[in-house]
Amino acid sequence: MILKRMFGLREPDPEMALYGAIVAAARQEKFYRDWLVPDTMNGRFDVLVLHMFLVLDHLRSFGAKSENLRQTLTDRFFAEMDAALREVGVGDLAVGKKVRKMAEAFFGRVAAYSAIAEADVDTLRDALNRNVYADCDSSHAIDLARWTVAAKQILATQDFESLLAGRVRFE
């Protein structure tokens, strides 16, 4: 056990496996190539937030047993955002402010998507226009809205243990 920890051979934490699967799904080319989400730091952030929302929303359906995972997954998201900012050269003094802005955007989007998750696709499209497509061609926002509704339905069929193992399907 000690040797495994010393050499990095320990089992990954559940939130790391799940977070890795979320990130991989958010990096799919179709979002940027087919649906014209800007392939920028902001565009990638928005697609990642959308995926995080979907998973966090589904985890909520498992009640108390998912509370810790939801929190550690959110903490992982912000730790990774902090690391990404540092990697692109943002200075130590500015990282805190930028992460705070990201947190406001994250929680604002999650609240907006949660409020309309059961609403019609057009309402979701309007929210995606404001967030994902704010400064660009939003003609594909309806496609992203339809995908989001379908992904939410697919996630609803997945059990807690699969998510814990990092197996998550959006399609």
Side-chain angles (χ1 to χ4, degrees):
M1 179 73 98
I2 293 173
L3 288 176
K4 284 184 177 182
R5 276 186 286 195
M6 286 177 59
F7 293 104
L9 300 175
R10 65 189 191 108
E11 294 290 319
D13 295 327
E15 82 274 359
M16 280 304 292
L18 182 53
Y19 185 75
I22 293 167
V23 169
R27 288 183 177 163
Q28 291 178 73
E29 283 185 35
K30 71 177 172 199
F31 295 107
Y32 312 98
R33 183 193 60 224
D34 300 344
W35 297 336
L36 304 181
V37 171
D39 193 2
T40 62
M41 199 167 191
N42 288 340
R44 288 182 175 266
F45 172 81
D46 276 314
V47 174
L48 181 55
V49 169
L50 187 58
H51 282 77
M52 285 286 294
F53 155 71
L54 287 165
V55 171
L56 292 170
D57 185 66
H58 179 52
L59 284 171
R60 190 175 281 65
S61 71
F62 296 108
K65 77 177 182 178
S66 71
E67 284 179 23
N68 187 52
L69 181 58
R70 287 193 327 259
Q71 184 60 57
T72 56
L73 188 59
T74 303
D75 292 346
R76 171 59 51 197
F77 172 81
F78 286 110
E80 294 296 324
M81 293 300 104
D82 181 285
L85 288 170
R86 291 175 193 280
E87 193 173 295
V88 297
V90 175
D92 288 340
L93 295 175
V95 168
K97 291 177 185 173
K98 289 193 179 285
V99 170
R100 196 168 14 266
K101 279 188 164 187
M102 288 177 155
E104 290 171 8
F106 175 83
F107 289 113
R109 284 161 172 75
V110 167
Y113 300 151
S114 294
I116 60 175
E118 302 305 323
D120 62 292
V121 174
D122 291 329
T123 306
L124 181 55
R125 180 202 59 214
D126 293 344
L128 294 170
N129 272 332
R130 284 189 306 275
N131 296 315
V132 178
Y133 295 100
D135 300 322
C136 62
D137 176 7
S138 64
S139 61
H140 290 280
I142 192 68
D143 299 321
L144 187 55
R146 287 181 184 128
W147 176 88
T148 302
V149 169
K152 186 172 172 29
Q153 292 169 347
I154 291 166
L155 271 164
T157 67
Q158 295 171 55
D159 61 43
F160 187 71
E161 289 69 30
S162 293
L163 297 173
L164 271 177
R167 292 187 310 269
V168 59
R169 289 182 302 103
F170 295 93
E171 301 180 77

